[in-house]
Amino acid sequence: MQLAVVTAASELPWVSVLAPGRGLVYDVLARGAPELGQRLHEAGQGPHGMVPFGYGAPVFASAKRRPGRYAAGGRGLVEFGSPVPELAQVLAKGFAERELLDWGGVAFRLTGVTVLEPPEFASGRAVLRTVTPVVMKGSGRDEEGERTTRQAWLLPTEPEWPAYFQGNLRRKAETLGLDPEVSLESVTWIGPKRSFAVGQGAKPGAAVEVEVRGAPVTLRALWSWGLGQANAAGFGWVGA
């Protein structure tokens, strides 16, 4: 869904570009579906305990750009989504009932909510491009197989990335009870490395464009959820 917003702020602090969205989702759930929100927060969903929602950073197309700043101002859009119909409906209804959003201390006036349907992907092929960085954690092992770190964030250019990325796609399908035979065919574009604050730290990654194949219903779910890990923190969002 797309939320149309207006703000008088001229920029967003970098620590508030992505982080506030997660709290907004859980606040909407606490008001409209508290049991669902509590269950997702405590245990996630399905065999892998994943949290099936995602969102992107606010985008203000006409805001004046300045080096080193995240530009805001005037009319903008924020996108949220979920491949779970019940969750998507609660979010759409909850946001539609609001007039203001507190995005990390910056006030957004909400002027409209538009529910978007995913593409059909009838051919079983999808080209998906993210508008926020995809984050992916690898094994953390060196060439000799010894684990050297538990914070082994991978970039799309690294050898482990494709296998871990594809594994994540399949775990998402299993979480939703969909056909898990989904495959990464190619990476067709890689954006620059970016890090955004989440909780007490930051996660690094890069936006990507990928070609994936699978059952159309699985591809539609991935479009609605996002790519890679930490979608519930705003990473890997596929822009509409």
Side-chain angles (χ1 to χ4, degrees):
M1 73 201 73
Q2 286 185 335
L3 277 56
V5 298
V6 178
T7 186
S10 61
E11 66 181 83
L12 297 180
W14 284 106
V15 295
S16 298
V17 172
L18 286 181
R22 181 177 182 273
L24 279 173
V25 169
Y26 279 115
D27 185 59
V28 169
L29 292 176
R31 297 166 188 258
E35 292 183 1
L36 174 60
Q38 184 176 3
R39 185 170 73 248
L40 290 178
H41 185 266
E42 293 179 353
Q45 178 173 322
H48 307 293
M50 303 182 86
V51 181
F53 69 80
Y55 61 90
V59 176
F60 297 88
S62 61
K64 184 178 180 181
R65 270 44 182 173
R66 291 184 293 169
R69 307 284 185 172
Y70 192 90
R75 298 184 181 278
L77 293 173
V78 192
E79 294 181 346
F80 290 81
S82 172
V84 178
E86 177 191 6
L87 179 51
Q89 290 166 8
V90 170
L91 293 178
K93 182 177 184 295
F95 281 124
E97 294 173 347
R98 298 196 172 197
E99 295 183 359
L100 290 173
L101 300 180
D102 179 356
W103 196 272
V106 177
F108 292 172
R109 182 165 61 86
L110 184 58
T111 61
V113 177
T114 302
V115 176
L116 304 174
E117 294 296 326
E120 289 296 323
F121 300 124
S123 68
R125 171 185 176 274
V127 176
L128 305 175
R129 179 179 284 224
T130 69
V131 293
T132 58
V134 170
V135 296
M136 185 61 55
K137 189 177 288 188
S139 67
R141 299 182 185 277
D142 61 21
E143 296 180 354
E144 298 178 351
E146 295 294 329
R147 183 182 293 277
T148 60
T149 178
R150 293 188 178 277
Q151 298 297 318
W153 299 110
L154 299 173
L155 292 177
T157 53
E158 297 182 63
E160 282 190 330
W161 192 90
Y164 277 87
F165 181 85
Q166 181 170 279
N168 177 267
L169 299 180
R170 295 183 175 184
R171 286 192 296 276
K172 283 175 171 159
E174 291 167 353
T175 293
L176 300 170
L178 302 176
D179 185 346
E181 291 302 312
V182 56
S183 61
L184 170 65
E185 297 293 300
S186 63
V187 179
T188 52
W189 173 80
I190 300 173
K193 180 182 177 181
R194 293 284 186 267
S195 295
F196 285 99
V198 178
Q200 300 301 314
K203 296 182 186 295
V208 298
E209 181 182 86
V210 297
E211 179 182 350
V212 295
R213 291 188 180 274
V217 67
T218 303
L219 299 180
R220 290 196 293 271
L222 295 173
W223 183 91
S224 301
W225 188 343
L227 304 179
Q229 299 173 338
N231 305 125
F235 290 93
W237 180 249
V238 179

